[in-house]
């Protein structure tokens, strides 16, 4: 199974949900189930798609998140109030969850919800 | 999706979508429009006069860190002629405020601004840690809110400044509008959208980020690599505010202009004069000289409760009567130093200058 390598960064306090580590390098499969399920067991029987940010968010929830999923996700995507940047660009300009990830991409998640 | 070029300069690659307008713009144009909008807010509201001494209420968090940076930038670019200070309140919360104060101290160096830190311990004789150990986690935010408000004014008086600016942003104000509507607090609703507040005897306070979206403040800090601190207060996040914030973020996701729209509708409410008049007349606290709507200010009342071991008696009128029934206020009670308003001239105390 081929994989791609990504850099994940956290800011604005979101790192507190991810073992208080601000930077990760992770590998994800380049083909993933369309329903974003992350247990790769019976991938062969499922419809697949090239890996996108939607899948990445589910992958992070299931493999990296340490606590309080409700502070990270809401209805299959990140919670409102979390900014996402793909290679330093607002993900709203990149198709949000549908952005197709490439090897070497950097994805930054910043919480805006912590005190000012 | 193919990268689109910036809607303003038409050249560089666009890096963000402005929530207010939906415009897709590049990094440099974003810096320029963000700063210029704050400048326009300052000019239109006539917030400052040349020569004003202005304290930036600095918590080390994103809003006040960006505010300090932008105030410094605009003051130089447009020659406002302001003398800027950083003013931080140390509530005495181990593992929270001590870390964020480290950020403020770095900001002092980075922005080359004098910094004054005033602590609850120094002013009231009680840190928040000590207060929480006495009152528990139920009413602690009442103590903290009352003490912080007064501490900021007192810090400002020590710096002899004319004006305090705070980092409240458009999201904060929209959220406050919503909360005041949900609570039916009409008098507060009438006041909460004003960019600048000044009672007769209070130090001017204003919010230059009134129309700045939180998303843009965070993006600005990110693109400029500004050094800020982010964590939730370890004592009770404000649950009611949390609901209002989550609701607001859902609205924003559905329609990004919702935040500005809510502020505008808050501004458009016409509050009857009789309602405005229900605010009590301001007087001066008999014990500490701070402005108050009662013979004793809220902070003195709360402090007396703490000192006499009946901490929660300062919260309600009923509690206060119970405290009075216990006997008169002892003569040797710890009190807050007498408050003197700034009178112009030089600071009444030495401030730490950036080295
Ligand atoms: Zn541009
Ligand atoms: Zn008083």
């Amino acid at each position: 199974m081929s994989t791609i390598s990504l850099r994940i960064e956290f800011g604005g306090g979101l790192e507190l949900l991810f073992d208080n580590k601000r930077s990760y390098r992770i590998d994800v499969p380049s083909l993933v189930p369309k329903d974003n399920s992350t247990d790769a067991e019976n991938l062969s029987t499922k419809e697949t798609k090239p890996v996108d940010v939607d899948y990445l968010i589910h992958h992070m929830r299931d493999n990296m998140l340490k606590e309080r999923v409700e502070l990270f996700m809401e209805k299959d995507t990140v919670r409102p109030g979390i900014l996402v940047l793909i290679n330093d660009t607002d993900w709203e300009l990149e198709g949000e969850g549908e952005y197709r990830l490439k090897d070497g991409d950097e994805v930054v998640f910043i919480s805006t919800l912590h005190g000012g | 999706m193919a990268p689109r070029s910036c809607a303003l300069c038409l050249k560089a690659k666009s890096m963000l979508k402005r929530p207010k307008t939906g415009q897709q713009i590049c990094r440099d144009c974003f810096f320029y429009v963000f700063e210029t909008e704050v400048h326009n807010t300052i000019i239109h509201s006539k917030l400052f006069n040349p020569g004003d001494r202005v304290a930036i209420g600095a918590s080390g968090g994103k809003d006040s860190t960006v505010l300090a940076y932008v105030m410094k930038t605009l003051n130089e670019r447009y020659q406002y002629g302001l003398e800027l200070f950083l003013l931080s309140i140390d509530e005495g919360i181990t593992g929270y405020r001590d870390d964020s104060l480290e950020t403020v101290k770095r900001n002092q160096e980075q922005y080359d601004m004098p910094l004054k830190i005033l602590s609850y311990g120094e002013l009231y004789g009680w840190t928040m840690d000590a207060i929480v150990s006495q009152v528990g986690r139920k009413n602690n935010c009442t103590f903290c809110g009352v003490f912080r408000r007064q501490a900021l004014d007192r810090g400002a008086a020590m710096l002899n400044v004319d004006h305090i600016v705070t980092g409240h942003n458009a999201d904060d104000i929209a959220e406050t509008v919503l909360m005041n509507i949900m609570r039916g607090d009409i008098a507060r609703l009438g006041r909460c959208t004003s960019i600048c507040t000044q009672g007769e005897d209070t130090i001017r306070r204003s919010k230059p980020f009134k129309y700045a979206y939180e998303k843009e403040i965070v993006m600005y800090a990110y693109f400029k690599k500004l050094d800020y601190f982010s964590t939730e207060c370890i004592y009770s996040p404000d649950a009611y505010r949390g609901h209002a914030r989550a609701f607001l973020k859902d609205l924003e996701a559905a329609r990004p202009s919702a935040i500005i729209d809510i502020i505008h509708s808050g501004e458009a409410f016409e509050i009857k004069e009789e309602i405005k008049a229900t605010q009590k007349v301001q007087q001066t606290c008999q014990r500490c000289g701070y402005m108050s709507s009662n013979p004793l200010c809220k902070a003195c009342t709360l402090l007396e409760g703490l000192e006499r071991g009946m901490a929660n008696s300062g919260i309600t009128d009923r509690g206060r009567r119970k405290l009075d029934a216990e006997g008169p206020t002892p003569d040797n009670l710890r009190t807050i130093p007498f408050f003197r308003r700034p009178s112009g001239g030089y600071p009444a105390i030495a401030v730490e200058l950036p080295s």
Side-chain angles (χ1 to χ4, degrees):
Chain A
M1 190 174 67
S2 77
T3 61
I4 62 166
S5 176
L6 303 170
R7 177 181 286 286
I8 308 294
E9 304 270 345
F10 296 107
L14 206 55
E15 64 277 10
L16 297 171
L17 304 181
F18 291 87
D19 214 11
N20 209 6
K21 227 175 99 183
R22 295 189 71 132
S23 181
Y24 287 82
R25 180 162 288 288
I26 62 165
D27 292 320
V28 289
S30 34
L31 272 185
V32 297
K34 249 188 179 153
D35 63 6
N36 294 317
S37 61
T38 58
D39 47 348
E41 277 175 25
N42 38 23
L43 190 58
S44 53
T45 65
K46 281 185 173 168
E47 268 198 277
T48 59
K49 62 175 180 181
V51 60
D52 58 13
V53 174
D54 274 339
Y55 177 84
L56 171 66
I57 292 166
H58 287 81
H59 173 89
M60 289 165 65
R61 178 193 67 190
D62 295 343
N63 297 292
M64 297 163 68
L65 188 70
K66 295 293 176 204
E67 51 188 318
R68 303 185 66 187
V69 63
E70 74 280 4
L71 295 185
F72 179 59
M73 277 185 80
E74 197 180 294
K75 295 184 209 125
D76 283 332
T77 186
V78 290
R79 183 183 178 213
I82 293 177
L83 303 183
V84 185
L85 293 102
I86 300 163
N87 301 321
D88 263 1
T89 298
D90 189 351
W91 78 328
E92 292 183 41
L93 301 183
E94 301 284 1
E96 303 191 16
E98 289 167 19
Y99 173 83
R100 204 181 274 193
L101 288 159
K102 305 183 306 295
D103 192 50
D105 276 347
E106 180 186 83
V107 188
V108 179
F109 296 84
I110 309 173
S111 172
T112 66
L113 299 168
H114 287 82
Chain B
M1 276 208 288
R4 274 208 241 164
S5 51
C6 170
L8 295 175
C9 67
L10 311 175
K11 284 187 207 121
K13 177 180 180 285
S14 52
M15 304 282 276
L16 97 163
K17 185 169 168 190
R18 298 201 74 194
K20 231 187 272 190
T21 59
Q23 254 177 348
Q24 309 190 358
I25 57 176
C26 75
R27 194 186 316 220
D28 287 339
C29 289
F30 168 58
F31 293 151
Y32 181 76
V33 291
F34 182 84
E35 290 156 5
T36 305
E37 284 181 4
V38 177
H39 170 65
N40 290 342
T41 304
I42 288 171
I43 297 302
H44 284 143
S45 313
K46 301 191 175 64
L47 290 189
F48 308 117
N49 293 307
D52 276 357
R53 298 166 59 90
V54 178
I56 299 160
S59 67
K62 59 184 170 26
D63 300 303
S64 59
T65 300
V66 175
L67 182 64
Y69 181 88
V70 170
M71 284 300 299
K72 181 182 167 63
T73 304
L74 296 178
N75 191 35
E76 286 166 7
R77 182 180 301 160
Y78 297 103
Q79 291 159 11
Y80 293 162
L82 305 179
E83 242 183 293
L84 297 173
F85 300 84
L86 294 170
L87 172 59
S88 290
I89 304 305
D90 180 0
E91 296 95 342
I93 303 175
T94 310
Y96 168 65
R97 188 51 88 211
D98 43 357
D99 290 348
S100 59
L101 284 174
E102 288 309 311
T103 312
V104 180
K105 286 177 191 161
R106 286 195 301 274
N107 291 161
Q108 170 194 9
E109 300 292 325
Q110 291 154 353
Y111 304 160
D112 191 30
M113 279 181 208
L115 164 68
K116 167 68 188 166
I117 299 173
L118 182 59
S119 71
Y120 283 9
E122 168 188 347
L123 191 55
Y124 305 110
W126 289 78
T127 63
M128 271 316 286
D129 287 341
I131 292 171
V132 169
S133 70
Q134 177 100 353
V135 307
R137 300 234 176 160
K138 196 159 156 259
N139 290 318
N140 53 336
C141 294
T142 305
F143 282 84
C144 200
V146 169
F147 281 1
R148 186 182 311 105
R149 177 157 191 95
Q150 193 170 136
L152 261 183
D153 276 332
R154 288 169 173 275
M158 288 172 179
L159 287 168
N160 208 353
V161 300
D162 311 290
H163 203 140
I164 303 170
V165 292
T166 57
H168 294 97
N169 60 43
D171 296 55
D172 296 329
I173 294 166
E175 178 186 289
T176 308
V177 170
L178 285 178
M179 283 167 61
N180 286 333
I181 291 174
M182 292 191 265
R183 287 174 171 151
D185 191 336
I186 298 302
R188 278 216 175 80
L189 178 63
R191 274 174 281 151
C192 71
T193 54
S194 57
I195 186 163
C196 178
T197 51
Q198 178 165 42
E200 234 165 73
D201 210 21
T202 54
I203 293 166
R204 262 164 86 84
R205 279 186 193 225
S206 54
K207 307 171 185 134
F209 281 172
K210 180 182 172 187
Y211 298 112
Y213 271 57
E214 188 161 64
K215 172 180 171 182
E216 295 201 348
I217 291 171
V218 172
M219 286 286 199
Y220 189 94
Y222 178 77
F223 286 141
K224 289 266 183 192
K225 309 229 174 306
L226 300 184
D227 179 10
Y228 72 90
F229 178 81
S230 44
T231 185
E232 209 65 67
C233 174
I234 53 170
Y235 299 129
S236 167
D238 186 340
Y240 196 75
R241 193 167 271 281
H243 293 309
R245 173 63 48 126
F247 177 59
L248 187 69
K249 287 289 159 194
D250 288 341
L251 289 180
E252 186 189 11
R255 190 174 75 166
S257 68
I259 288 172
I260 280 296
D261 298 340
I262 289 170
I263 296 177
H264 286 323
S265 53
E267 288 168 335
F269 269 96
E270 280 189 37
I271 312 295
K272 283 190 183 165
E273 289 302 320
E274 306 96 87
I275 310 256
K276 285 187 199 159
T278 56
Q279 285 181 60
K280 285 193 191 166
V281 193
Q282 292 290 304
Q283 45 184 309
T284 304
C285 171
Q286 288 169 357
R287 197 171 288 165
C288 78
Y290 187 75
M291 38 277 182
S292 167
S293 45
N294 290 300
L296 268 195
C297 76
K298 197 82 189 152
C300 281
T301 311
L302 291 175
L303 181 60
E304 181 174 341
L306 282 170
E307 290 288 326
R308 293 175 68 183
M310 301 172 68
N312 286 322
S313 65
I315 309 253
T316 58
D317 290 344
R318 214 172 114 241
R320 177 72 223 185
R321 283 196 294 277
K322 224 170 113 197
L323 185 73
D324 290 336
E326 289 284 306
T329 305
D331 287 339
N332 58 352
L333 189 81
R334 189 207 309 265
T335 55
I336 310 169
F338 203 80
F339 180 67
R340 285 177 217 291
R341 290 219 49 205
S343 52
Y346 291 98
I349 49 129
V351 296
E352 281 177 61
L353 287 162
S355 46

